[in-house]
Amino acid sequence: MMPTRTIHKPSAPGTTAHYLRDYDRTRREFSWAQARLELVGRADAHLNIAHEALDHRIALGSGDIVAARFIDRDWNRVEFTYRELKRLADRFANVLGALAVPRGATVATLLGRVPELFAVGLGTFAAGAVFSPLFSAFGPEPLKTRLQLGHAQVLVTTETLYRRKVAALREALPELRHVLLLREDSGGALPERCADFAALMRNAPDAYDPAPTTDADVALLHFTSGTTGKPKGVTLTHAAVIAQHATSRLVLDLHPGEVFWCTADPGWVTGIAYGLIGPLTRGVTMIVDREEFDAQRWYRILEAERVAVWYTAPTAIRMLMKAGTALTRTRTYPQLRHMASVGEPLNAEAVEWGMEAFGMPFHDTWWQTETGAIMIANFPACDVVPGSMGRAVPGIEARVVRRTGAGTLEILESPEQVGEIALRPGWPSMFSSYLEDPNRYRQCFIDGWYLAGDLARRDQDGQFWFVGRADDIIKSSGHLISPFEVESALMRHPAVAQVAVIGVPDAVAGQAVKAFVELRSGFEPSDALRLKILGHARRLLGAAVAPREIAFSDSLPRTRSGKIMRRLLRARELGLPEGDLSTLEGRE
Ligand code: ATP
Ligand code: MG
């Protein structure tokens, strides 16, 4: 592995005291039972996400604090206090009651980042129904599959999206009893078999006591990103809020009253766990940008909204790097004190760029839809080794393991061995099922461990280093090559903006490494540049690991949640079927 320096903490003076100051001590003292108790107050209390996010927060004095501020294209701001958000959520819970939607039924949304999505989500939790947020750019086919798989009884969407995507599917969705529409202008007739969301909300009472749900009741249905194959339906229970709260405190370090910006869309698990639930349980003010990524706009938001804690993704960070540090410097960010990242491996280069551009590193965090909350992380008070994902969150037992046969595995206790990330079940946000696929669910558990399907190694300090998704790993001349390691080395070349590495068949080596490179602005593809980048990679990695081939690409295929789809590059390279493309960016 390439040598990297350690970024030492504590960070700048004037920052709030971190919740996690001593990792080992917090880990020793932490228990999930205690984390639950701290959240709900009594061991025998019911657990309901809406209660913890709103009622409990209001009882703690956050009622008049702004819970969420939505910013539109023209910089208009609409904001809701915790108390106002509760009224909206309660109205929606009453709407569900009036429509006789039973507890446990699925309520889906097909909405952009709008206040109604928050009201529907929180109202659905309060009513004890299951919230399934769908990404608004999905086309008809992916929508149909997800609504069918989730047995959705209610869909809340806009009139425009309904006419464009859903109307023609109604016959195929017999279980979908209620479609509630947000209307851009309320003139004209509603489409058939639809109701007016705003009218229902107006007529509903604005007080509701959250249903007495239990820890085991399903609250959320998320679909995975589809990076490695067909997206899976993942259910999380109300107990997920315990882990989402604990990690919002210990990892994101959210203090009540602070401004927090999670850039993920609520169509993905991050946008709900840390774009809705976790932050509300911490009493922060969330920023919600209704627009898509734009470097200038993002810097303006960070400055003008006085963002203190920022949770974003490697793709966005790399795009900011591509736009250049001069642009970062056109503004100042005196309130910003903590930056974190999730979704893809975060290259050491990007962590270092955080230091250069903002004077602090990005803190990598690792988790999955299936884990429901952050599992491995860099903590704000702990030193950061760029390129490492950090250590297991308190309460999480994480190991590196090797499958040794059907139903058995070996825990790789000595450091630096590469194996699959395994987590000991018992954390409250662990998924409760893969929808309609109990077999697949069972197969994730071996010998009392949950196997994540990602490869990593753990160093002697307990820091995890991402190696690659099990499907992406490259086997060449008997070596296991980590695509992440090769990509990280290529990222160090000044011409490289983004890169994806795959294995291609090779008669001698089995597989050879091929890299797809997106260039920074100011660089043009040429054979000379290709040779320079190859030379750079060989110097850093050695000939056995460096790519044999480099192809320039204008834009790499990504999921809508911003992950590079190596499986698609592989399929195209080999002329194989492209598989499920429902989550490919730019598709409808
Ligand atoms: P699918 O399961 O449908 O193929 P997906 O795994 O991308 O899609 P998500 O649950 O959204 O769906 O993403 C979780 C995955 O994202 C992890 O298993 C891991 O591969 C990757 N990931 C998340 N955070 C990190 C990180 N910090 N470093 C490296 N990889 C990460
Ligand atoms: Mg996955």
Side-chain angles (χ1 to χ4, degrees), residues 11-16 258-261 298-299 301-303 305-312 320 328 331-340 353-354 357-362:
S11 41
T15 54
T16 27
E258 278 192 317
V259 179
F260 171 60
W261 186 23
W298 277 33
Y299 288 134
I301 290 177
L302 286 172
E303 179 180 62
E305 300 305 324
R306 307 158 71 88
V307 173
V309 181
W310 183 29
Y311 197 23
T312 189
L320 292 174
T328 326
R331 297 183 179 273
T332 56
Y333 318 95
Q335 272 77 25
L336 190 62
R337 66 170 185 85
H338 183 39
M339 314 194 296
W353 181 77
F358 296 97
M360 64 191 101
F362 284 99

Side-chain angles (χ1 to χ4, degrees), residues 520-580:
R520 278 184 196 244
S521 51
F523 292 91
E524 290 300 321
S526 72
D527 284 339
L529 182 57
R530 178 178 292 119
L531 286 176
K532 271 194 200 146
I533 300 175
L534 280 172
H536 159 91
R538 286 208 187 102
R539 259 193 316 282
L540 286 178
L541 297 163
V545 177
R548 200 181 52 189
E549 209 184 325
I550 288 182
F552 293 114
S553 158
D554 288 341
S555 95
L556 298 167
R558 283 196 195 84
T559 67
R560 296 177 190 283
S561 52
K563 298 165 197 270
I564 294 173
M565 278 173 138
R566 291 178 193 79
R567 71 166 159 104
L568 190 53
L569 291 171
R570 266 196 308 267
R572 287 177 181 166
E573 189 68 24
L574 302 177
L576 295 172
E578 297 195 334
D580 185 296

Side-chain angles (χ1 to χ4, degrees), residues 15-35:
T15 54
T16 27
H18 300 303
Y19 287 115
L20 184 151
R21 271 168 250 163
D22 178 339
Y23 175 80
D24 294 314
R25 184 165 163 208
T26 309
R27 213 182 146 74
R28 261 195 323 274
E29 292 174 356
F30 186 92
S31 81
W32 287 113
Q34 186 62 29

